């Protein structure tokens, strides 16, 4: 059973419902929690993302290590706009200068990390774009020390790392590099880079799972797309007891 600190004795659906009361939860008040509850509601009815995907096999493979999980940063406040004038501006966590995570996005990042820990998926390296919204997502997931790098770059700032081809090459190099034995690498970045580097695209907080493969065209092969709802459903079903 997926357990959240401060709540016990119930399944995830009951826990999420109890989160929608008036008390703060990890610093988040009722309104954003209610929004997140609505966001997660389809979890209890939706099937696996792909009818052809073997969820048990996916969990077993991730537990064995050897994969790279590229997460798009969690949900953001789209009333804010990026203002990048020079290198490093993207590191700002000021919403007046750069788009930041929303409260629901912060909660989602925490829940994804909790689900991965509940599934006992081993994580070695945790890498993130230097953008504040990506680095905050990585930290809130709580999967290990986070190293920010321009090797994961929003393509809107691609000129600062040598242009489009260089930015995509940097990301593909990380995706193709085998993680430490019996671990998985976490990358947290942006949707435009995800699509350019992998050919896959997710909503905010979605993940693309790949397996490094030197014999493949890109140096890695696609394994699965996983939504936030998928992670929570998998944690409910395959938690180690």
């Amino acid at each position: 059973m997926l357990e959240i600190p401060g709540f016990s004795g119930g399944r995830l659906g009951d826990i999420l419902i109890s989160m929608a009361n008036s008390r703060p939860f990890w610093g988040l008040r009722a309104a954003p929690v209610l929004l997140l509850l609505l966001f997660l509601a389809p979890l209890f009815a939706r099937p696996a993302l792909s009818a052809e995907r073997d969820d048990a096999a996916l969990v077993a493979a991730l537990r064995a290590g050897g994969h790279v999980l590229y997460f798009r940063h969690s949900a953001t406040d789209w009333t804010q706009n990026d203002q990048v004038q020079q290198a490093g501006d993207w590191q700002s966590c000021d919403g007046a200068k750069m788009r930041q995570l929303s409260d629901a996005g912060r909660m989602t990042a925490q829940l994804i990390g909790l689900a991965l820990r509940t599934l006992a998926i081993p994580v070695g390296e945790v890498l993130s774009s230097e953008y504040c919204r990506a680095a905050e997502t990585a930290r809130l997931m709580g999967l290990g020390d986070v190293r920010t790098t321009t090797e994961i770059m929003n393509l809107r700032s691609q000129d600062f790392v040598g242009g489009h081809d260089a930015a995509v090459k940097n990301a593909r190099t990380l995706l193709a590099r085998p993680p430490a034995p019996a671990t998985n690498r976490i990358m947290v970045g942006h949707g435009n880079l995800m699509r350019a580097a992998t050919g896959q695209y997710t909503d905010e907080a979605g993940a693309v799972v790949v397996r490094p493969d030197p014999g493949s065209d890109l140096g890695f092969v696609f394994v699965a797309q996983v939504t936030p709802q998928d992670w929570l459903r998998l944690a409910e079903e395959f938690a180690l007891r």
Side-chain angles (χ1 to χ4, degrees):
M1 180 181 297
L2 177 58
E3 296 183 356
I4 297 177
F7 299 91
S8 61
R11 294 181 60 79
L12 180 58
D14 299 324
I15 291 171
L16 288 172
I17 290 170
S18 67
M19 285 163 55
N21 60 23
S22 59
R23 60 179 167 168
F25 181 75
W26 288 338
L28 305 179
R29 296 190 180 276
V33 171
L34 282 169
L35 289 175
L36 183 64
L37 184 61
L38 291 173
F39 167 71
L40 292 174
L43 168 67
F44 309 107
R46 68 180 292 162
L49 183 64
S50 170
E52 298 178 355
R53 190 177 75 192
D54 183 335
D55 287 344
L58 174 63
V59 171
L62 291 175
R63 283 175 176 162
H67 295 77
V68 181
L69 287 68
Y70 184 123
F71 284 89
R72 185 178 176 187
H73 60 73
S74 199
T76 53
D77 181 348
W78 284 89
T79 67
Q80 301 168 342
N81 296 294
D82 291 346
Q83 300 179 37
V84 177
Q85 305 297 326
Q86 60 186 0
D89 283 352
W90 49 73
Q91 297 179 34
S92 174
C93 295
D94 182 350
K97 297 179 179 179
M98 297 292 297
R99 196 169 88 246
Q100 306 296 328
L101 295 184
S102 63
D103 282 346
R106 294 183 178 97
M107 175 71 82
T108 300
Q110 291 173 317
L111 289 173
I112 291 171
L114 178 60
L116 289 170
R117 295 193 299 275
T118 299
L119 286 165
I121 293 174
V123 173
E125 193 174 29
V126 181
L127 303 177
S128 167
S129 159
E130 289 187 347
Y131 274 62
C132 183
R133 56 183 177 263
E136 185 177 12
T137 298
R139 289 193 296 270
L140 288 172
M141 289 168 69
L143 300 173
D145 293 337
V146 177
R147 179 169 73 85
T148 60
T149 174
T150 56
E151 294 174 288
I152 306 172
M153 178 55 74
N154 189 322
L155 293 185
R156 292 183 180 274
S157 300
Q158 62 191 20
D159 290 345
F160 292 100
V161 294
H164 177 89
D165 291 349
V168 173
K169 181 179 179 180
N170 289 341
R172 286 179 174 170
T173 297
L174 293 176
L175 291 163
R177 190 176 74 206
T183 72
N184 301 281
R185 176 179 301 113
I186 301 293
M187 295 172 58
V188 182
H190 308 271
N192 53 19
L193 181 64
M194 173 190 284
R195 178 160 47 195
T198 71
Q200 304 291 321
Y201 188 75
T202 72
D203 291 335
E204 291 180 315
V208 171
V209 180
V210 304
R211 184 181 70 254
D213 180 354
S216 64
D217 291 342
L218 297 178
F220 57 87
V221 295
F222 171 74
V223 175
Q225 275 194 32
V226 189
T227 68
Q229 295 96 330
D230 288 330
W231 287 121
L232 296 177
R233 179 180 49 76
L234 291 173
E236 277 284 274
E237 186 172 355
F238 297 106
L240 293 179
R241 293 172 173 81

